Amino acid sequence: MASSIRQTVKQIVETSDTWAGKTFDIFIQLLIFASLADFCTRTLPNLDPSLRSGLQVFEVVAVTIFTIEYSLRVAVADRPHRYMFSFYGLIDLVAILPFYVSLGIDLRALRAVRFFRLFQMFKLMRYSNAVKRYMRALRDIREELIVFTFWAFMVLFFASVGIYYFEGDSQPEAFGSIFHCMWWAIVTLTTVGYGDVYPVTVGGKLFTAVILLVGLGFVAVPTGLFASALTKESS
Amino acid sequence: MASSIRQTVKQIVETSDTWAGKTFDIFIQLLIFASLADFCTRTLPNLDPSLRSGLQVFEVVAVTIFTIEYSLRVAVADRPHRYMFSFYGLIDLVAILPFYVSLGIDLRALRAVRFFRLFQMFKLMRYSNAVKRYMRALRDIREELIVFTFWAFMVLFFASVGIYYFEGDSQPEAFGSIFHCMWWAIVTLTTVGYGDVYPVTVGGKLFTAVILLVGLGFVAVPTGLFASALTKESS
Amino acid sequence: MASSIRQTVKQIVETSDTWAGKTFDIFIQLLIFASLADFCTRTLPNLDPSLRSGLQVFEVVAVTIFTIEYSLRVAVADRPHRYMFSFYGLIDLVAILPFYVSLGIDLRALRAVRFFRLFQMFKLMRYSNAVKRYMRALRDIREELIVFTFWAFMVLFFASVGIYYFEGDSQPEAFGSIFHCMWWAIVTLTTVGYGDVYPVTVGGKLFTAVILLVGLGFVAVPTGLFASALTKESS
Amino acid sequence: MASSIRQTVKQIVETSDTWAGKTFDIFIQLLIFASLADFCTRTLPNLDPSLRSGLQVFEVVAVTIFTIEYSLRVAVADRPHRYMFSFYGLIDLVAILPFYVSLGIDLRALRAVRFFRLFQMFKLMRYSNAVKRYMRALRDIREELIVFTFWAFMVLFFASVGIYYFEGDSQPEAFGSIFHCMWWAIVTLTTVGYGDVYPVTVGGKLFTAVILLVGLGFVAVPTGLFASALTKESS
């Protein structure tokens, strides 16, 4: 009898074949989204106090439901320990733990630990299957990606050192050390170009021009790698 | 006899095989462009009053012709209702409706409803055939695009939350809540980088650097998907 | 005898098989580069007067040589008229004509007509063969490019109209008419993002976010098309 | 006996098959990273004097080890001269030479010569094998890349000349000569868009819009080339 209930709960919690299982899945997903929206909204300054307390009540409700869900998953798992130390098991735990931890300590610390609630989002990945195709494409170009990453860091480093020699003296605020220059290098090579730091000397501008023409590979190489891997994968 | 006229009109309006049909098509297309240009020009401030009234007269003429076109299309259609509720039928209606609606209400409201006139542009798609190839390529990568969109939103969300913790205190104007930070995240990850908001703390800059290197996929992944789908499609 | 000289000159001017022909080609190419450098340098403000007159002398020498080259090409061509009205024949003429035209008219007009001297650069293309492969790839994706261009203009137009309604009232300087907004739209969708104009209202920012996510195709689509065409071409 | 020691050292220095050889390799790699970090840290302004002298001591130690490594590599090489004039041999030398040179001359010159220490980074490439695949892909598209580079310079040049005529008069500071305009052109066409220079006239904005739409190829073409080459390579 107890085993029959456990079997029913297991079917609802772990699979989404039945009507109940599907409803449970969709309910949890919607609750994750609502919980994330709650999380974002509470960072708004000048929030109405009554709305703020409403959102706090909602958080308690949401965490309670996530705790029940976690307990059920542990209870119905064939090997509870295996689930608890699996990728999703740890995420399920990390998503609820900060709430309980924060009850014991002072309120300012709340802010930092609540960051982990975001891991709830990963739960949604459980419901997606197409992720695997991306993973396979990524695995195919693993070695090339590592070499590209190394090359990217080398270009970043050379760009930082070069601009330091050209701009270091004329703009000590923005290009005062190689570490300062790295901020410029990353913003420039990814073509974001905020405009908070940019070269002003002739030498610095010439150097930037050369680096930018070489740095087109920053976007071209990973894109080409990905296109190639996906073409191979799908054919 | 009436049926013969209807047949001739049908041929002109619905097909572009004959000389008359082709002329009709080109005339309607040119009128759409002229109507859109009229629409844009009238938003110019400090417009000469006589030019403004001239543009208003042109609008009346254009809408009248579009109304006649719509009536003819309804009249000659084999199943009028089917045309009226088809994609292009609705666009044809939406493109002329705001003009008549705006006559009855106050002038300020004009501005908002006129937005729908833009749907005229979609009419041009009726004349293009190559669109289908794109549609097929898009359908091939439908699932991958959905996963990518989800991933993109996740990166956007993580970036927003992260930068909120690093910059929220030092720049309350620009990074005051997670919703504020999302503006920064979208402008940064698409590499637009207006420069209206950017991190100033060391932690915020380091975090941005990491997010940007991961976020290269923001451009690389859809490009790779598209290149792969088009390569498969054309071979 | 005259025919023999003509034959030798023809070989030097039109082909680059012999030592003399190769030298002639390289000399003309170097002169084009020198002439362009001369052109750029003379736009520098606060230029030393003696250097400026030296550059002017060089221009006279260069144009004289280009004139001799053009005369020789006309003289040795099997069908002079055919060469004169060919693509390169017209460029050769357009590259030297402004100099002679400017002698007769006032000096201010010089500036505008000299622009055509840049067509000299196209001459260099004569010496390149690999251009053809690009041309073939471009021809393969001709139709897709036209549809993409149409789509790009549609997105640009929608973005401009949309932002006009959101930002037109709060930033009349930058978003005062749909034409003003088009500048914002092109700078944003190509991800340049100078930062001279950007939305400040919540509605405008939300609209920009949506447009940017859709507008990723602005870079993704032509890249994908090109990658696909080149893959097909090379296999 | 001496020959046996030489054989053992050769195995350690030149190969990484044995435990000792692998350890030696990893040790040298870590020392390169540490040396680069030392180099960057010493550019920080307001550095603690005791930390600065510590970093200087570390530099002496690191260069001593690199010198020993270089001597060993020369000693055990089958043909010492061949190693000394090989790519890595020259880098090994260039990485240590500046230190010794700088001891003799005045301290200000130190700064410039130390730049060559960065070539140490190239040493890491010795340990990577996947680089070859990139090299092969690059060789496959060598000719296309040259043509693209030429085209890119032509677009840059045309953009610079065009914007000079449109913006030269209204913004003499930023667009005062064609060389000034080239800075704008490179920042715009690579879509970095710092925002330090941008067109303000209607003509200049229209010209920029046209150049940007054509200039999408700046990113699209090399990406497409790379994607195509990698697809061919991997299949």
Coordinates of all heavy atoms in Angstrom, one line a residue, chain B residues 152-203:
Chain B
A152 N 20.3 32.3 -24.2 CA 20.5 33.8 -24.2 C 19.9 34.5 -23.1 O 20.5 35.4 -22.4 CB 20.0 34.3 -25.6
F153 N 18.6 34.1 -22.8 CA 17.9 34.8 -21.6 C 18.6 34.4 -20.3 O 18.7 35.3 -19.4 CB 16.4 34.4 -21.6 CG 15.6 35.2 -22.5 CD1 15.2 34.8 -23.7 CD2 15.3 36.6 -22.1 CE1 14.4 35.6 -24.6 CE2 14.6 37.4 -23.0 CZ 14.1 36.9 -24.2
M154 N 19.1 33.2 -20.2 CA 19.8 32.8 -19.0 C 21.1 33.6 -18.8 O 21.3 34.1 -17.7 CB 20.1 31.3 -19.0 CG 19.7 30.6 -17.8 SD 19.8 28.8 -18.0 CE 21.5 28.5 -18.0
V155 N 21.8 33.8 -19.9 CA 23.1 34.6 -19.8 C 22.7 36.0 -19.4 O 23.4 36.6 -18.6 CB 23.9 34.5 -21.1 CG1 25.0 35.5 -21.1 CG2 24.4 33.1 -21.4
L156 N 21.7 36.6 -20.1 CA 21.3 37.9 -19.8 C 20.9 38.1 -18.3 O 21.3 39.1 -17.7 CB 20.0 38.3 -20.6 CG 20.2 38.9 -22.0 CD1 18.9 39.1 -22.7 CD2 21.0 40.2 -21.9
F157 N 20.2 37.1 -17.8 CA 19.7 37.1 -16.4 C 20.9 37.1 -15.5 O 21.0 37.9 -14.6 CB 18.7 36.0 -16.2 CG 18.1 36.1 -14.9 CD1 17.1 37.1 -14.6 CD2 18.4 35.2 -13.9 CE1 16.5 37.1 -13.4 CE2 17.8 35.3 -12.6 CZ 16.9 36.2 -12.4
F158 N 21.8 36.1 -15.7 CA 23.0 36.0 -14.8 C 23.8 37.2 -14.9 O 24.3 37.7 -13.9 CB 23.8 34.8 -15.3 CG 23.5 33.5 -14.5 CD1 22.5 32.7 -15.0 CD2 24.1 33.2 -13.3 CE1 22.2 31.5 -14.3 CE2 23.8 32.1 -12.6 CZ 22.8 31.2 -13.1
A159 N 24.0 37.8 -16.1 CA 24.8 39.0 -16.2 C 24.2 40.1 -15.4 O 24.9 40.9 -14.8 CB 24.9 39.3 -17.7
S160 N 22.9 40.2 -15.5 CA 22.2 41.3 -14.8 C 22.3 41.2 -13.3 O 22.6 42.2 -12.6 CB 20.7 41.3 -15.2 OG 20.5 41.4 -16.6
V161 N 22.1 40.0 -12.8 CA 22.2 39.7 -11.4 C 23.6 40.0 -10.9 O 23.9 40.7 -9.9 CB 21.7 38.3 -11.0 CG1 22.0 38.1 -9.5 CG2 20.3 38.1 -11.3
G162 N 24.6 39.5 -11.6 CA 26.0 39.6 -11.3 C 26.4 41.1 -11.2 O 27.0 41.5 -10.2
I163 N 26.1 41.8 -12.2 CA 26.5 43.2 -12.3 C 25.8 44.0 -11.2 O 26.4 45.0 -10.7 CB 26.3 43.8 -13.7 CG1 27.3 44.9 -13.9 CG2 24.9 44.3 -13.9 CD1 28.7 44.5 -14.2
Y164 N 24.6 43.6 -10.9 CA 23.8 44.3 -9.8 C 24.6 44.2 -8.5 O 24.7 45.2 -7.8 CB 22.5 43.6 -9.6 CG 21.7 44.2 -8.5 CD1 21.2 45.5 -8.5 CD2 21.4 43.4 -7.4 CE1 20.5 46.0 -7.4 CE2 20.7 43.9 -6.3 CZ 20.2 45.2 -6.3 OH 19.5 45.7 -5.2
Y165 N 25.2 43.0 -8.2 CA 26.0 42.9 -6.9 C 27.3 43.7 -7.0 O 27.7 44.2 -6.0 CB 26.2 41.4 -6.6 CG 25.0 40.8 -6.0 CD1 24.3 39.9 -6.8 CD2 24.5 41.2 -4.8 CE1 23.1 39.3 -6.2 CE2 23.4 40.6 -4.3 CZ 22.7 39.7 -5.0 OH 21.5 39.2 -4.5
F166 N 27.9 43.8 -8.2 CA 29.2 44.5 -8.3 C 29.0 46.0 -8.3 O 29.8 46.8 -7.8 CB 30.0 44.0 -9.4 CG 30.6 42.7 -9.2 CD1 30.2 41.5 -9.9 CD2 31.6 42.5 -8.3 CE1 30.8 40.3 -9.7 CE2 32.2 41.3 -8.0 CZ 31.7 40.2 -8.8
E167 N 28.0 46.5 -9.1 CA 27.9 47.9 -9.4 C 26.7 48.6 -8.7 O 26.6 49.8 -8.7 CB 27.8 48.1 -10.9 CG 28.9 47.6 -11.7 CD 30.2 48.5 -11.6 OE1 30.0 49.7 -11.5 OE2 31.3 48.0 -11.6
G168 N 25.8 47.8 -8.2 CA 24.6 48.4 -7.6 C 24.8 49.5 -6.6 O 24.1 50.5 -6.6
D169 N 25.8 49.3 -5.7 CA 26.1 50.3 -4.7 C 26.8 51.5 -5.2 O 26.5 52.6 -4.8 CB 26.9 49.6 -3.6 CG 26.0 48.6 -2.8 OD1 24.8 48.9 -2.7 OD2 26.6 47.6 -2.3
S170 N 27.7 51.3 -6.1 CA 28.5 52.5 -6.6 C 27.9 53.3 -7.7 O 28.2 54.5 -7.9 CB 29.9 52.0 -7.0 OG 29.8 51.0 -8.0
Q171 N 26.9 52.7 -8.4 CA 26.2 53.5 -9.4 C 24.7 53.2 -9.3 O 24.1 52.6 -10.2 CB 26.7 53.0 -10.8 CG 28.1 53.3 -11.1 CD 28.4 53.1 -12.6 OE1 28.2 54.0 -13.4 NE2 29.0 52.0 -12.9
P172 N 24.1 53.7 -8.2 CA 22.7 53.4 -8.0 C 21.8 53.9 -9.2 O 20.7 53.4 -9.4 CB 22.4 54.1 -6.7 CG 23.5 55.0 -6.4 CD 24.7 54.5 -7.2
E173 N 22.2 55.0 -9.9 CA 21.4 55.5 -11.0 C 21.2 54.5 -12.1 O 20.2 54.2 -12.6 CB 22.0 56.8 -11.5 CG 21.9 58.0 -10.7 CD 20.5 58.4 -10.5 OE1 19.8 58.6 -11.5 OE2 20.0 58.6 -9.4
A174 N 22.4 53.9 -12.5 CA 22.4 53.0 -13.7 C 22.2 51.6 -13.4 O 21.6 50.8 -14.2 CB 23.8 53.2 -14.4
F175 N 22.6 51.1 -12.2 CA 22.5 49.7 -11.8 C 21.6 49.5 -10.6 O 21.9 48.7 -9.7 CB 23.9 49.1 -11.6 CG 24.8 49.1 -12.8 CD1 25.6 50.2 -13.1 CD2 24.7 48.1 -13.8 CE1 26.4 50.2 -14.2 CE2 25.5 48.1 -14.9 CZ 26.3 49.2 -15.1
G176 N 20.6 50.4 -10.4 CA 19.8 50.4 -9.2 C 19.0 49.2 -8.9 O 18.7 48.9 -7.7
S177 N 18.6 48.4 -9.9 CA 17.8 47.2 -9.7 C 18.2 46.2 -10.8 O 18.9 46.6 -11.8 CB 16.3 47.5 -9.7 OG 15.9 47.6 -11.0
I178 N 17.8 45.0 -10.6 CA 18.1 44.0 -11.7 C 17.5 44.4 -13.0 O 18.1 44.1 -14.1 CB 17.7 42.6 -11.2 CG1 18.6 42.1 -10.1 CG2 17.8 41.6 -12.4 CD1 18.3 40.8 -9.5
F179 N 16.4 45.1 -13.0 CA 15.7 45.5 -14.2 C 16.6 46.6 -14.9 O 16.8 46.6 -16.1 CB 14.3 46.0 -14.0 CG 13.4 45.0 -13.5 CD1 13.0 44.9 -12.2 CD2 13.0 43.9 -14.3 CE1 12.1 43.9 -11.7 CE2 12.1 42.9 -13.9 CZ 11.7 42.9 -12.6
H180 N 17.2 47.5 -14.1 CA 18.1 48.5 -14.7 C 19.3 47.8 -15.3 O 19.8 48.1 -16.4 CB 18.6 49.4 -13.6 CG 17.6 50.4 -13.1 ND1 16.6 50.1 -12.2 CD2 17.5 51.7 -13.4 CE1 15.9 51.2 -12.0 NE2 16.4 52.2 -12.7
C181 N 19.8 46.7 -14.6 CA 21.0 46.0 -15.1 C 20.7 45.3 -16.4 O 21.7 45.1 -17.1 CB 21.5 45.0 -14.0 SG 22.1 45.9 -12.5
M182 N 19.5 44.9 -16.6 CA 19.2 44.2 -17.8 C 19.4 45.0 -19.1 O 19.8 44.5 -20.1 CB 17.7 43.7 -17.8 CG 17.6 42.4 -17.0 SD 15.9 41.9 -16.9 CE 16.0 40.5 -15.8
W183 N 19.2 46.3 -18.9 CA 19.5 47.2 -20.0 C 21.0 47.2 -20.3 O 21.4 47.1 -21.5 CB 19.0 48.7 -19.7 CG 19.5 49.7 -20.6 CD1 20.3 50.8 -20.4 CD2 19.1 49.8 -22.0 NE1 20.5 51.5 -21.5 CE2 19.8 51.0 -22.5 CE3 18.3 49.1 -22.9 CZ2 19.7 51.4 -23.8 CZ3 18.2 49.5 -24.2 CH2 18.9 50.6 -24.7
W184 N 21.8 47.3 -19.3 CA 23.2 47.2 -19.5 C 23.6 45.8 -20.1 O 24.4 45.8 -21.1 CB 24.0 47.3 -18.1 CG 25.4 46.9 -18.2 CD1 26.4 47.7 -18.6 CD2 25.9 45.6 -17.9 NE1 27.6 47.0 -18.6 CE2 27.3 45.7 -18.2 CE3 25.4 44.4 -17.5 CZ2 28.2 44.6 -18.0 CZ3 26.2 43.3 -17.4 CH2 27.6 43.4 -17.6
A185 N 23.0 44.7 -19.6 CA 23.3 43.4 -20.1 C 23.0 43.3 -21.6 O 23.9 42.7 -22.4 CB 22.6 42.4 -19.3
I186 N 21.9 43.7 -22.0 CA 21.5 43.6 -23.4 C 22.4 44.5 -24.3 O 22.8 44.0 -25.4 CB 20.0 43.8 -23.7 CG1 19.6 43.3 -25.0 CG2 19.7 45.3 -23.7 CD1 18.5 42.3 -24.9
V187 N 22.7 45.7 -23.9 CA 23.5 46.6 -24.7 C 25.0 46.0 -24.8 O 25.6 46.2 -25.8 CB 23.5 48.0 -24.1 CG1 24.6 48.9 -24.7 CG2 22.1 48.6 -24.4
T188 N 25.4 45.4 -23.7 CA 26.8 44.8 -23.7 C 26.9 43.5 -24.5 O 27.8 43.4 -25.3 CB 27.2 44.6 -22.2 OG1 27.2 45.9 -21.6 CG2 28.6 44.0 -22.2
L189 N 26.0 42.6 -24.2 CA 26.1 41.3 -24.9 C 25.9 41.3 -26.4 O 26.4 40.5 -27.1 CB 25.2 40.3 -24.2 CG 25.7 39.8 -22.8 CD1 24.6 39.1 -22.0 CD2 26.9 38.8 -23.0
T190 N 25.1 42.2 -26.8 CA 24.9 42.4 -28.3 C 26.1 43.2 -28.9 O 26.1 43.5 -30.1 CB 23.6 43.0 -28.6 OG1 23.5 44.3 -28.0 CG2 22.4 42.2 -28.2
T191 N 27.0 43.6 -28.0 CA 28.2 44.4 -28.4 C 27.9 45.8 -29.0 O 28.7 46.3 -29.7 CB 29.2 43.6 -29.4 OG1 28.6 43.7 -30.7 CG2 29.4 42.2 -28.9
V192 N 26.7 46.3 -28.7 CA 26.4 47.6 -29.1 C 27.2 48.6 -28.3 O 27.9 49.5 -28.8 CB 24.8 47.9 -28.9 CG1 24.6 49.4 -29.2 CG2 24.1 47.1 -29.9
G193 N 27.1 48.5 -26.9 CA 28.0 49.3 -26.1 C 27.8 50.8 -26.3 O 28.8 51.5 -26.7
Y194 N 26.6 51.4 -26.1 CA 26.4 52.8 -26.2 C 27.4 53.6 -25.4 O 27.9 54.7 -25.8 CB 25.0 53.2 -25.8 CG 23.9 52.8 -26.7 CD1 22.8 52.0 -26.3 CD2 23.9 53.2 -28.1 CE1 21.8 51.7 -27.1 CE2 22.9 52.8 -28.9 CZ 21.9 52.1 -28.5 OH 20.9 51.7 -29.3
G195 N 27.7 53.2 -24.2 CA 28.5 53.9 -23.3 C 27.7 54.8 -22.3 O 28.3 55.6 -21.6
D196 N 26.4 54.6 -22.3 CA 25.6 55.3 -21.3 C 25.7 54.6 -19.9 O 25.7 55.3 -18.9 CB 24.1 55.4 -21.7 CG 23.5 54.1 -22.0 OD1 24.2 53.1 -22.2 OD2 22.3 54.0 -22.0
V197 N 25.9 53.3 -19.9 CA 26.1 52.6 -18.6 C 27.3 51.6 -18.8 O 27.3 50.9 -19.8 CB 24.9 51.8 -18.1 CG1 23.9 52.7 -17.5 CG2 24.3 51.0 -19.3
Y198 N 28.2 51.6 -17.9 CA 29.4 50.7 -18.0 C 29.9 50.5 -16.5 O 29.8 51.4 -15.7 CB 30.5 51.1 -18.9 CG 30.9 52.5 -18.8 CD1 31.8 52.9 -17.8 CD2 30.4 53.5 -19.6 CE1 32.3 54.2 -17.6 CE2 30.8 54.9 -19.4 CZ 31.7 55.2 -18.4 OH 32.1 56.4 -18.3
P199 N 30.5 49.4 -16.2 CA 31.0 49.1 -14.9 C 32.2 50.0 -14.6 O 33.0 50.3 -15.4 CB 31.4 47.7 -14.9 CG 31.7 47.3 -16.3 CD 30.7 48.2 -17.1
V200 N 32.3 50.4 -13.3 CA 33.5 51.2 -12.9 C 34.3 50.6 -11.8 O 35.5 50.9 -11.6 CB 33.0 52.6 -12.4 CG1 32.4 53.5 -13.6 CG2 32.0 52.5 -11.3
T201 N 33.7 49.6 -11.1 CA 34.5 49.0 -10.0 C 35.3 47.9 -10.6 O 35.1 47.4 -11.7 CB 33.5 48.3 -9.0 OG1 32.8 47.3 -9.6 CG2 32.6 49.3 -8.4
V202 N 36.4 47.5 -9.9 CA 37.3 46.4 -10.4 C 36.5 45.1 -10.5 O 36.6 44.4 -11.6 CB 38.5 46.3 -9.4 CG1 39.3 45.0 -9.8 CG2 39.4 47.5 -9.5
G203 N 35.7 44.8 -9.5 CA 34.9 43.6 -9.6 C 34.0 43.6 -10.8 O 33.8 42.6 -11.5

